[in-house]
Amino acid sequence: DTEVTQTPKHLVMGMTNKKSLKCEQHMGHRAMYWYKQKAKKPPELMFVYSYEKLSINESVPSRFSPECPNSSLLNLHLHALQPEDSALYLCASSQDRGWGTDTQYFGPGTRLTVL
Amino acid sequence: GNSVTQMEGPVTLSEEAFLTINCTYTATGYPSLFWYVQYPGEGLQLLLKATKADDKGSNKGFEATYRKETTSFHLEKGSVQVSDSAVYFCALVNTGTASKLTFGTGTRLQVTL
């Protein structure tokens, strides 16, 4: 089973709202990722968690706040977003064997629209 | 640094035609190479992978061979179907980069009847 699930599938929010995206995997993976994908572009890495600790933040604005409550769950908290933050947000997971070439498995994504 | 170059799309083929999507990479050391596919409105699915030189990844009729001498990982399929219409991303992950994927720009494939 190589399934990563994400909820919600679609989200519309205003610029003053607070919302959260959720991601879950049950593959025993210890690394989890958030990506942002704009139309007709490849995904861009936002955050990496390794063993439930934030290991990479790709200079993402603070209006995006990641959280990893346990090894199976990853959240992305959203606050005061801008219309240009509208995109497909993808979660991924991988084993974390330490040498950096593990396969990442992606979820179906959350389509976010900021009004 | 690491980089991946894919052929520009869109690629338009008739059903049952032969497909090649070119992918070349730049990386030091021994990266792992991947092809991901993204169907309209969906996330990325791993299509195939290769972890060392001369490995051939294959899945659903698609194949790609890790060629270190030409730094290439071209995707091929002998007979495409309408259902193969999607965007295909070539990607690599390298040692010492904390599993950061480097993607190509993506190639859109449109298969018609």
Side-chain angles (χ1 to χ4, degrees):
Chain A
D1 183 11
T2 56
E3 187 177 26
V4 176
T5 59
Q6 291 187 242
T7 55
K9 191 171 176 61
H10 300 278
L11 179 62
V12 179
M13 58 187 292
M15 290 189 284
T16 58
N17 292 157
K18 287 185 180 181
K19 296 287 185 182
S20 297
L21 309 185
K22 297 185 185 302
C23 173
E24 190 167 4
Q25 57 87 16
H26 294 288
M27 295 179 278
H29 289 171
R30 302 310 299 265
M32 296 186 77
Y33 311 77
W34 280 116
Y35 289 84
K36 174 182 177 180
Q37 187 181 25
K38 302 286 273 185
K40 301 190 178 186
K41 297 289 188 183
E44 297 174 10
L45 183 65
M46 300 174 72
F47 304 103
V48 181
Y49 273 83
S50 176
Y51 288 83
E52 300 156 50
K53 291 189 182 342
L54 183 65
S55 61
I56 295 176
N57 176 343
E58 294 284 277
S59 302
V60 179
S62 60
R63 58 186 183 269
F64 296 91
S65 176
E67 178 195 21
C68 189
N70 60 57
S71 60
S72 300
L73 293 173
L74 185 66
N75 298 321
L76 186 63
H77 303 297
L78 313 173
H79 173 55
L81 295 193
Q82 305 296 309
E84 60 264 29
D85 297 322
S86 299
L88 181 68
Y89 288 84
L90 294 163
C91 175
S93 72
S94 70
Q95 295 176 319
D96 193 351
R97 293 173 292 178
W99 53 80
T101 56
D102 297 309
T103 301
Q104 292 185 31
Y105 296 91
F106 285 80
T110 294
R111 176 75 60 188
L112 175 67
T113 302
V114 182
L115 301 176
Chain B
N2 302 316
S3 67
V4 175
T5 301
Q6 284 183 242
M7 62 188 289
E8 290 285 328
V11 173
T12 302
L13 294 173
S14 298
E15 200 170 48
E16 299 184 1
F18 184 86
L19 169 71
T20 300
I21 300 178
N22 290 337
C23 172
T24 57
Y25 68 90
T26 302
T28 56
Y30 303 94
S32 292
L33 303 176
F34 306 90
W35 277 101
Y36 285 91
V37 59
Q38 188 170 33
Y39 298 101
E42 298 186 11
L44 271 68
Q45 295 179 23
L46 177 67
L47 182 59
L48 53 84
K49 67 179 182 179
T51 58
K52 60 184 187 296
D54 300 325
D55 266 3
K56 177 186 281 190
S58 61
N59 186 25
K60 300 181 182 180
F62 291 89
E63 294 183 339
T65 301
Y66 187 161
R67 301 283 188 202
K68 197 164 176 67
E69 65 276 13
T70 54
T71 63
S72 65
F73 193 54
H74 305 321
L75 183 68
E76 296 182 336
K77 187 176 186 185
S79 176
V80 294
Q81 305 299 311
V82 172
S83 57
D84 294 325
S85 298
V87 178
Y88 292 81
F89 290 98
C90 185
L92 70 82
V93 66
N94 208 350
T95 54
T97 62
S99 295
K100 290 175 68 171
L101 272 169
T102 299
F103 285 98
T105 52
T107 301
R108 181 172 299 276
L109 172 65
Q110 182 71 42
V111 181
T112 59
L113 289 171

